């Protein structure tokens, strides 16, 4: 994940419309102008509560893809991961996210079953989970790129090496189902990539690709009020 999105935000622009053919007066700048106020007018975030959100694990997936001999993309996933999102709907670029992943939870659905999964998880040429039991991502900056899209830049720590990664993220919407007691649920999609060799994992390159694509789908549940 060379410059990894989780997931995540967009600023709208306000338009000044003249009416009746009259010339509008120049806007007066006050403390109530600027990106934060413009974002507040964006319907995409108008119904979202500010605060801390926890990953809704029943509706989240973390996949990765890697080239296999240039013939296909080998796809696998992690089944044990968690994330906490601190979301600011007034100024989404002030939001932050932290992610932890258990490398022992890698799943490939390979015909050899657990044997290959265990090799990937614990082998010293792969995730080496006995020595490095956790993969982490901590956001350091969020930049808006569209009305409901943005870049999440953060520090990815893998195999004891920490490098900046950028995720391209999109905000998918907000729900408020009654079974959560009135708490908001917000959804994001994110993609990114890393060069695994930069983290010291260069086994089988070039037959198995160096670039690893990451695909994230996640729903976050507002913490108890």
């Amino acid at each position: 994940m060379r410059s990894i999105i989780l997931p995540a935000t967009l600023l709208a622009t306000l338009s000044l419309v003249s009416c009746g053919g009259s010339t509008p007066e120049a806007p007066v700048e006050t403390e109530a102008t600027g990106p934060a106020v413009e974002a507040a007018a964006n319907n995409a975030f108008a119904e979202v509560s500010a605060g801390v959100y926890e990953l809704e694990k029943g509706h989240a997936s973390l996949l990765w893809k890697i080239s296999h001999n240039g013939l296909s993309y080998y796809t696998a996933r992690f089944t044990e991961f968690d994330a906490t999102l601190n979301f600011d709907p007034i100024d989404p670029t002030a939001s932050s996210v932290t992610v932890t992943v258990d490398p022992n939870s890698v799943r490939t659905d390979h015909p050899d079953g657990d044997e290959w999964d265990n090799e990937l998880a614990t082998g010293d040429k792969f995730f080496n989970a006995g020595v490095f039991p956790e993969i982490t991502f901590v956001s350091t900056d969020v930049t808006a790129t569209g009305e409901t899209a943005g870049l999440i830049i953060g520090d990815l720590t893998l195999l004891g090496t920490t490098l900046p990664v950028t995720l391209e993220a999109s905000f998918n919407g907000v729900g408020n189902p009654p079974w959560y007691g009135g708490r908001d649920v917000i959804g994001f999609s994110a993609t990114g990539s890393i060069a695994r060799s930069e983290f010291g994992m260069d086994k089988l390159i070039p037959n198995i690709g160096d670039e690893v694509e990451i695909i994230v789908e996640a729903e976050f549940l507002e913490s108890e009020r």
Side-chain angles (χ1 to χ4, degrees), residues 107-133:
R107 298 292 182 269
T108 63
D109 297 321
H110 192 277
D112 289 341
D114 291 345
E115 183 178 348
W116 176 234
D117 290 350
N118 289 338
E119 174 64 19
L120 281 178
T122 62
D124 60 7
K125 301 298 184 184
F126 297 109
F127 290 110
N128 201 5
V131 178
F132 305 104

Side-chain angles (χ1 to χ4, degrees), residues 188-203:
F188 296 90
S189 300
T191 59
S193 66
I194 64 168
R196 63 187 179 101
S197 61
E198 293 182 351
F199 295 87
M201 188 191 296
D202 56 8
K203 177 75 170 178

Side-chain angles (χ1 to χ4, degrees), residues 2-202:
R2 197 150 1 221
S3 268
I4 246 185
I5 47 198
L6 209 231
T9 51
L10 324 157
L11 302 178
T13 46
L14 293 174
S15 334
L16 294 176
V17 181
S18 59
C19 53
S22 59
T23 303
E25 296 181 2
V28 178
E29 292 192 14
T30 69
E31 292 182 358
T33 63
V37 174
E38 292 175 4
N42 179 6
N43 288 335
F45 304 110
E47 302 300 322
V48 181
S49 299
V52 176
Y53 287 75
E54 302 296 339
L55 187 68
E56 210 282 89
K57 296 182 182 180
H59 299 95
S61 60
L62 176 55
L63 308 177
W64 51 268
K65 293 168 54 178
I66 191 167
S67 175
H68 178 253
N69 290 321
L71 301 175
S72 66
Y73 280 88
Y74 190 77
T75 303
R77 66 192 186 280
F78 292 106
T79 60
E80 294 294 333
F81 58 97
D82 204 355
T84 299
L85 171 66
N86 209 315
F87 192 68
D88 184 347
I90 301 300
D91 182 8
T93 63
S95 303
S96 62
V97 64
T98 60
V99 182
T100 58
V101 181
D102 180 358
N104 285 296
S105 72
V106 66
R107 298 292 182 269
T108 63
D109 297 321
H110 192 277
D112 289 341
D114 291 345
E115 183 178 348
W116 176 234
D117 290 350
N118 289 338
E119 174 64 19
L120 281 178
T122 62
D124 60 7
K125 301 298 184 184
F126 297 109
F127 290 110
N128 201 5
V131 178
F132 305 104
E134 193 171 70
I135 301 167
T136 63
F137 176 77
V138 179
S139 69
T140 57
D141 186 59
V142 176
T143 302
T145 59
E147 197 171 332
T148 53
L151 300 178
I152 303 174
I153 301 168
D155 292 329
L156 175 70
T157 301
L158 171 65
L159 296 176
T161 297
T162 301
L163 292 171
V165 170
T166 298
L167 293 172
E168 297 181 10
S170 60
F171 172 72
N172 299 325
V174 57
N176 194 251
W179 49 88
Y180 285 131
R183 289 183 288 163
D184 285 346
V185 181
I186 52 179
F188 296 90
S189 300
T191 59
S193 66
I194 64 168
R196 63 187 179 101
S197 61
E198 293 182 351
F199 295 87
M201 188 191 296
D202 56 8

